[in-house]
Amino acid sequence: MNVHDAAENILKSVHDDLNGRLYWSEFMEKQLAGYNDADAAERRGTYNKALIILIDENLCRKVGNNIIELAQKGIDANGDYKRFAKKKKTANTLERLRRIAPIASFIIVLISFIINFIIKKTAEKHAAQKAKTMQTVPKSGSKK
């Protein structure tokens, strides 16, 4: 079991409770029932990490020493941690793109300016050469 699955399990349990509360020791007893000591210790650590993540994300909060309560973000997430995590990842990606967009726009404008400048210089050069050749070429039909 990974931390995200444990967070999903905790958030769903807190959300499904009528009062939006979870007694941590009772919850852990239910989750660790039937496991040997080594596996139980590993799962306990995973659930503790998941609880820390939920508290940091303001999905849950600790009320007292043994009670976990649902916070406003947890209510908004409807007890679905995976959907919350996906939304957060999408929001972070969009925020990064919003920060990068002006830089990309500047680079595109700079490249188009350089290309336009090169084309203009080349056109002027060709026009000057054309005018020079027109002046040096003698008119046909004229006698010297």
Side-chain angles (χ1 to χ4, degrees), residues 113-141:
F113 175 76
I114 291 170
I115 290 172
N116 192 14
F117 183 73
I118 292 170
I119 290 173
K120 188 176 178 183
K121 282 290 190 182
T122 307
E124 289 174 358
K125 185 178 178 182
H126 286 293
Q129 285 178 351
K130 188 175 182 181
K132 195 175 192 181
T133 57
M134 292 294 274
Q135 290 175 354
T136 58
V137 174
K139 293 182 184 177
S140 58

Side-chain angles (χ1 to χ4, degrees), residues 50-107:
L51 181 61
I52 291 170
I53 289 171
L54 291 174
I55 291 172
D56 285 345
E57 296 290 340
N58 292 327
L59 293 168
C60 295
R61 62 179 170 252
K62 262 190 168 180
V63 181
N65 203 15
N66 197 23
I67 299 173
I68 309 301
E69 189 176 64
L70 193 62
Q72 184 61 41
K73 279 189 178 179
I75 294 169
D76 294 341
N78 289 326
D80 192 359
Y81 178 76
K82 290 180 182 174
R83 194 178 88 207
F84 170 80
K86 187 175 180 183
K87 270 182 156 179
K88 184 178 177 187
K89 184 177 178 183
T90 303
N92 287 343
T93 303
L94 290 173
E95 180 65 22
R96 287 183 187 137
L97 288 174
R98 185 189 66 79
R99 290 180 183 169
I100 293 172
I103 297 167
S105 175
F106 173 74
I107 291 170

Side-chain angles (χ1 to χ4, degrees), residues 16-74:
D16 290 344
D17 186 58
L18 187 60
N19 295 323
R21 291 186 175 185
L22 178 74
Y23 293 99
W24 186 248
S25 58
E26 291 176 14
F27 175 77
M28 288 305 293
E29 285 178 18
K30 289 178 187 175
Q31 298 304 316
L32 301 177
Y35 289 99
N36 62 22
D37 291 340
D39 291 338
E42 185 178 332
R43 288 179 72 89
R44 183 177 289 116
T46 303
Y47 275 104
N48 286 332
K49 287 178 188 176
L51 181 61
I52 291 170
I53 289 171
L54 291 174
I55 291 172
D56 285 345
E57 296 290 340
N58 292 327
L59 293 168
C60 295
R61 62 179 170 252
K62 262 190 168 180
V63 181
N65 203 15
N66 197 23
I67 299 173
I68 309 301
E69 189 176 64
L70 193 62
Q72 184 61 41
K73 279 189 178 179

